[in-house]
Amino acid sequence: MGQRHQLFVIAKIRNRFRTLAVVHHQWLYEVGPLERCIRLTQIFQAESNRSAIEQELRAAREKDGGFWATKESQPFPCIATCLLVGSSFDPDKGYQRRVHLLAFNTTLDQIDNNDGITIIDISDPFNVNGLKPQSASAYLWRYLKHDEDDYNDEDDEWSDDSKIQESYVIPPDLEWRVQQFDSVDLISPETLRNWLNSTSEDNDGSWQEHRQLRASKQSLRDQAMDQLINTALNDPSYDLSALEEAQQLPGFAAHLRTKMLSLGQANELPSTPNLVHCFEMAFNGEQFIDLSPFSNMTTEQLVDVASKLLRSDTVKALNLSHLRQISEHDLMDILCIECHLETLYVMEMSQISLTCLTQLWSQNPALKDIYHTELFRLPLTEEYRYSDLMSMVQSPSITNIRNPVKNIMFVRVLVNGSMKELKLRKADGVTIDWQRSKLAGTGGKYDNSMFFSVFPINDTLLTPTKLINGLANFLHCASTDRTSCSYHDASPSGFTMAKSFASASSCIGDSSTTIGPLPGLLFRAASTAARVSTPLWPVPFPELKVGEFSIVIVNEHNPYSVDESPPDIFRIAVVSPKSAHRGEGYHVQSMETYLENLTNHSPGMKSQDVVDLLRYWKEQMGFVGSCRKEEIDELLLAAEKNLERARRDLDWGLPWDYVR
């Protein structure tokens, strides 16, 4: 069943192309692959994703030949996350589908396919190539022509793309997609043959050969600067005042930086007393400090260099990936100074634990993003046990104490004629009578008219800005796409919410091409609910502490809506417990009120940030209403009873201890 399509991400590893991630899409056909290919090329080329992707490409190029036959499922989890989100989610277009990651080294003879494949070549993240190995108009012509009875592949007189482009009239509603796709470079036939040729041998090349700066003929001026830099680096007695005078020359700092990167990539950087000072001069005024190529430096040198560079107000991002000589203690020393660092890359550094990341996150309120391999890997784990999820919700492997919003409670009500017949609305004609609804009576059993679910985000490093951007992604997608939040069960809504936060930017209103880690608990809960034979949602009713918050979203959904029908209704509220005693109720406030008071409970938030967030919410979320306190009190009481009944059902042996 389905129109099954697979998407492969490949890259040149030494002298042959290797597969790095594969996803199975059950329903991808016609113009769909073109749209997914465009979205994926945008994601893999996005500047915000480039550094993390480059670190996994470097890791791949350091693997030996035997690695590529291993059974490790997702050794490149950042690339796999980009593929998963890009192939199944686009909030700007209201698109969300469930897809399945396959083993990274899946081959063509191992897939179940009846509707083609798409291949993305990310060998150069600055220039990502996409394949179907033909133009968009040629692909559409061939695809649509297959539906005609008189079409025969062997007699295809239009095998030449140029003839198709001359003769095929593109339907008007597809023109913009064709133009977008045709702007993507196509993978060459040679690349495709190399990828398919399993007999190709790896050479002895290393990752450095793929990052070597392009050589060019040096001018006398450049040669003179090179000689000056070499002398400064290699002669311990060299007077650095001459180098400081040269720094006034136009382009000298850039040349010094290029020279040091070249030496670092070749492992030829000398360990001399002048090294740290040369680093300061090379990266002075830079926003992004990339120390990842300098793996031959000592721990003391790296700590010294990084600490001094971070004192500059201009530094916003620091890349320490692959520097396995840096311990957790060293990392804490580097970041103990007051700085303006917003992004930290520690990819492929297994010695840095999630506990250390939690501590760094809590102590550095300016940090907006941390890229760590394990943060990407955790949500993609293959084991899904109800008992494991329960313990992790209560004690997550990483906690975000800077974001007091611990979960999102989502209720979807199917609105059609039956609701009027059951008279579930109160006298005001708007509010739902939750105590008389099936939510209070079904106890989590299958009911296609209503469901309630708790989406945990307490293990996700979200800033308030990412929280609002993630909510905006979810609400835009859920209000546009009728399938993104199925009314049958909660798992599609959970997937939509998880991908919404994974593609949430740290900057207000930024493009959704930025991809971060999926919320681990939420994505695993959605995967669990989708895999077992019951629609119960595997997360209990939250036990909030005083000062912690939940966001409640009520969605009245008409799955049979057409263009002339009323759109879905969304209402939202922010709740927090009145006291430590669970039965004393909740404080209820609107999202606007919560944002106005954000500086009181979110460390690092500035007044102007709050003003900008509040303005963005009002401008973008005008279609979202607010819930009254009376409605929330009734809803949460009914929902808690619902989930308590569901937990009793679990004790009766429902199959939550399922493992893939």
Side-chain angles (χ1 to χ4, degrees):
M1 179 179 175
Q3 292 180 275
R4 301 175 296 282
H5 191 102
Q6 285 77 37
L7 301 98
F8 294 77
V9 173
I10 67 172
K12 191 173 185 180
I13 306 301
R14 302 182 180 181
N15 77 328
R16 65 164 298 183
F17 284 86
R18 298 281 194 180
T19 305
L20 304 180
V22 188
V23 79
H24 171 91
H25 202 307
Q26 188 71 10
W27 294 97
L28 192 63
Y29 54 95
E30 204 172 83
V31 74
L34 299 183
E35 295 176 328
R36 296 306 96 217
C37 188
I38 293 167
R39 168 102 169 127
L40 284 166
T41 54
Q42 292 170 342
I43 286 173
F44 281 112
Q45 285 186 150
E47 185 177 358
S48 53
N49 303 326
R50 190 174 297 149
S51 292
I53 291 171
E54 284 185 326
Q55 298 310 315
E56 291 198 337
L57 288 175
R58 173 180 172 180
R61 288 164 181 148
E62 291 178 343
K63 305 293 185 184
D64 59 30
F67 164 81
W68 301 98
T70 63
K71 294 183 179 181
E72 185 175 354
S73 181
Q74 304 302 332
F76 313 110
C78 174
I79 292 172
T81 300
C82 289
L83 174 61
L84 185 149
V85 176
S87 64
S88 64
F89 182 68
D90 189 344
D92 298 333
K93 294 181 172 59
Y95 180 87
Q96 199 288 129
R97 299 294 185 273
R98 183 188 175 201
V99 298
H100 304 270
L101 279 172
L102 305 179
F104 82 100
N105 49 8
T106 298
T107 58
L108 291 181
D109 60 353
Q110 296 173 321
I111 60 177
D112 177 16
N113 182 285
N114 65 353
D115 226 284
I117 63 172
T118 296
I119 306 168
I120 307 293
D121 175 14
I122 62 168
S123 301
D124 179 4
F126 288 85
N127 182 31
V128 174
N129 298 324
L131 173 83
K132 295 187 172 292
Q134 55 192 330
S135 67
S137 54
Y139 162 72
L140 286 174
W141 184 89
R142 288 190 172 96
Y143 189 98
L144 297 175
K145 198 69 174 175
H146 269 290
D147 292 336
E148 299 184 12
D149 294 336
D150 59 351
Y151 178 74
N152 188 328
D153 280 321
E154 296 179 359
D155 298 331
D156 184 2
E157 61 177 312
W158 302 108
S159 57
D160 184 351
D161 280 5
S162 61
K163 292 182 179 180
I164 295 174
Q165 291 173 350
E166 291 173 4
S167 306
Y168 177 52
V169 178
I170 300 169
D173 61 324
L174 300 181
E175 283 184 357
W176 69 274
R177 293 182 177 92
V178 169
Q179 291 171 357
Q180 272 192 305
F181 183 83
D182 283 346
S183 67
V184 177
D185 291 336
L186 297 180
I187 291 176
S188 68
E190 291 76 15
T191 296
L192 186 58
R193 281 193 290 269
N194 181 289
W195 175 59
L196 294 173
N197 182 9
S198 60
T199 62
S200 295
E201 296 291 336
D202 288 335
N203 62 22
D204 294 328
S206 61
W207 71 274
Q208 287 94 337
E209 68 183 271
H210 299 273
R211 292 195 54 173
Q212 289 295 337
L213 303 169
R214 293 179 180 177
S216 58
K217 187 176 181 180
Q218 284 192 319
S219 65
L220 291 176
R221 179 176 176 274
D222 289 344
Q223 293 178 36
M225 286 194 289
D226 268 359
Q227 184 175 358
L228 182 64
I229 294 168
N230 288 331
T231 303
L233 285 171
N234 291 286
D235 184 357
S237 62
Y238 181 76
D239 184 2
L240 291 175
S241 60
L243 198 63
E244 292 171 351
E245 290 178 7
Q247 193 175 15
Q248 308 304 316
L249 295 173
F252 179 77
H255 188 90
L256 175 60
R257 188 164 57 252
T258 300
K259 178 68 174 178
M260 296 189 72
L261 284 170
S262 176
L263 292 172
Q265 292 164 5
N267 287 328
E268 296 175 355
L269 199 65
S271 180
T272 62
N274 295 336
L275 181 63
V276 173
H277 189 72
C278 288
F279 262 101
E280 290 184 80
M281 295 178 64
F283 290 97
N284 181 44
E286 291 294 301
Q287 291 191 351
F288 179 43
I289 307 298
D290 184 5
L291 298 180
S292 64
F294 304 105
S295 55
N296 67 327
M297 290 176 63
T298 67
T299 302
E300 292 75 16
Q301 289 173 330
L302 286 168
V303 172
D304 193 12
V305 166
S307 300
K308 289 181 177 178
L309 291 174
L310 284 179
R311 291 190 176 95
S312 170
D313 292 345
T314 62
V315 177
K316 302 299 181 184
L318 175 65
N319 187 0
L320 300 174
S321 301
H322 284 271
L323 299 177
R324 298 180 178 90
Q325 63 268 54
I326 293 182
S327 67
E328 291 184 348
H329 179 74
D330 299 327
L331 189 58
M332 300 297 291
D333 282 348
I334 291 172
L335 296 180
C336 69
I337 63 172
E338 184 176 347
C339 62
H340 298 81
L341 187 69
E342 296 179 355
T343 306
L344 175 66
Y345 296 92
V346 281
M347 300 288 290
E348 302 297 328
M349 295 178 69
S350 57
Q351 76 276 20
I352 306 299
S353 67
L354 297 182
T355 302
C356 177
L357 295 186
T358 299
Q359 190 173 351
L360 287 173
W361 183 258
S362 63
Q363 294 177 355
N364 294 271
L367 268 178
K368 297 179 179 179
D369 295 288
I370 296 179
Y371 290 86
H372 185 277
T373 304
E374 197 62 20
L375 290 177
F376 285 98
R377 192 190 314 278
L378 275 176
L380 307 182
T381 180
E382 291 190 358
E383 292 191 359
Y384 307 97
R385 292 184 184 273
Y386 175 78
S387 55
D388 292 343
L389 285 170
M390 294 305 95
S391 62
M392 287 189 293
V393 168
Q394 303 302 328
S395 302
S397 55
I398 188 166
T399 55
N400 182 8
I401 65 174
R402 285 169 46 191
N403 178 24
V405 177
K406 302 305 176 185
N407 55 70
I408 295 168
M409 294 188 272
F410 180 67
V411 58
R412 167 160 280 196
V413 182
L414 178 61
V415 180
N416 54 23
S418 63
M419 173 161 279
K420 295 180 180 178
E421 294 167 8
L422 294 173
K423 299 179 181 179
L424 287 181
R425 293 200 188 275
K426 292 191 174 182
D428 61 10
V430 176
T431 308
I432 297 172
D433 189 340
W434 296 107
Q435 293 304 316
R436 297 177 57 202
S437 71
K438 292 186 177 181
L439 183 65
T442 59
K445 292 182 181 298
Y446 179 80
D447 177 14
N448 67 357
S449 68
M450 189 175 300
F451 70 78
F452 177 90
S453 49
V454 179
F455 299 150
I457 56 173
N458 56 326
D459 66 330
T460 309
L461 300 182
L462 294 175
T463 62
T465 300
K466 292 189 79 169
L467 174 70
I468 295 303
N469 279 336
L471 284 174
N473 285 342
F474 175 81
L475 291 167
H476 278 305
C477 191
S479 63
T480 305
D481 180 21
R482 298 293 174 184
T483 63
S484 64
C485 298
S486 166
Y487 59 90
H488 292 300
D489 59 73
S491 60
S493 305
F495 283 126
T496 303
M497 186 69 77
K499 295 169 189 177
S500 294
F501 284 121
S503 55
S505 170
S506 297
C507 300
I508 298 174
D510 260 15
S511 169
S512 59
T513 55
T514 295
I515 303 297
L518 288 155
L521 291 173
L522 173 53
F523 190 77
R524 292 181 71 184
S527 300
T528 301
R531 288 180 184 277
V532 299
S533 58
T534 173
L536 288 172
W537 180 251
V539 178
F541 196 83
E543 296 182 6
L544 295 176
K545 300 175 182 177
V546 174
E548 295 180 343
F549 297 86
S550 284
I551 294 175
V552 181
I553 301 175
V554 177
N555 172 212
E556 296 183 23
H557 173 64
N558 184 354
Y560 309 110
S561 284
V562 291
D563 293 341
E564 62 271 14
S565 302
D568 275 19
I569 295 173
F570 291 88
R571 297 194 301 280
I572 197 168
V574 183
V575 304
S576 59
K578 290 182 177 180
S579 72
H581 300 289
R582 189 166 179 175
E584 295 189 8
Y586 297 87
H587 295 292
V588 180
Q589 56 186 314
S590 67
M591 178 60 74
E592 290 79 3
T593 302
Y594 173 78
L595 292 177
E596 288 169 356
N597 296 286
L598 203 52
T599 53
N600 297 334
H601 39 251
S602 291
M605 284 298 293
K606 300 176 182 178
S607 298
Q608 187 57 49
D609 296 333
V610 173
V611 171
D612 293 341
L613 271 180
L614 189 57
R615 182 177 62 249
Y616 174 74
W617 180 265
K618 290 179 178 178
E619 290 174 353
Q620 297 296 318
M621 298 292 108
F623 64 94
V624 180
S626 296
C627 297
R628 292 197 288 263
K629 184 179 186 306
E630 296 77 13
E631 179 183 11
I632 291 296
D633 287 340
E634 286 190 11
L635 168 60
L636 296 185
L637 182 61
E640 188 168 4
K641 291 180 180 178
N642 179 281
L643 292 184
E644 284 179 356
R645 172 69 179 279
R647 294 180 76 176
R648 290 198 299 272
D649 286 347
L650 295 176
D651 294 335
W652 297 341
L654 289 178
W656 283 113
D657 280 334
Y658 167 86
V659 181
R660 181 181 177 185

